[in-house]
Amino acid sequence: MAAAIEELRQELYEAQDLGTGQQFAFGVEEAELELLLELRDSGKGEGKLSFGVATVGVGGELSTVRTHKLTLKLSIRDRAAGGAAPEINDDETGSWD
């Protein structure tokens, strides 16, 4: 879990650096991190012991699956408007062309 938190921290630092000088700034209001860890233990034949016509195999396998899900709730500020919430609208009607 510590590695996942540190990775998230580094990603947020990088996003912060990339946003320097941009008109729109995003603030993180809330972060929700869901970590799913699944351990699987399954048998798998690896060794063989033959005795006459009978063969016996034994062995083992361990696998790990990790899943991360991150949800961020962002606030948006328009630096050109003094840090106010941006107003996105278009008073003109018509097509995008």
Side-chain angles (χ1 to χ4, degrees):
M1 183 161 72
I5 296 293
E6 182 58 26
E7 185 177 333
L8 171 59
R9 185 178 287 120
Q10 294 304 318
E11 290 288 332
L12 288 172
Y13 288 149
E14 184 179 347
Q16 186 177 32
D17 288 343
L18 290 173
T20 301
Q22 298 294 320
Q23 179 178 348
F24 293 113
F26 296 89
V28 178
E29 291 184 5
E30 184 178 312
E32 181 180 318
L33 181 60
E34 180 180 331
L35 301 172
L36 301 173
L37 177 64
E38 179 181 331
L39 298 174
R40 287 184 239 165
D41 188 5
S42 61
K44 186 176 185 179
E46 294 289 337
K48 290 184 183 179
L49 175 62
S50 297
F51 187 74
V53 292
T55 301
V56 177
V58 293
E61 175 186 12
L62 176 66
S63 62
T64 302
V65 177
R66 293 182 192 163
T67 303
H68 305 266
K69 176 184 175 184
L70 175 64
T71 303
L72 294 177
K73 183 177 180 182
L74 302 175
S75 61
I76 305 172
R77 296 182 320 243
D78 186 346
R79 290 181 176 146
E87 292 185 23
I88 311 290
N89 62 32
D90 185 3
D91 293 334
E92 296 181 23
T93 59
S95 69
W96 288 75
D97 296 334

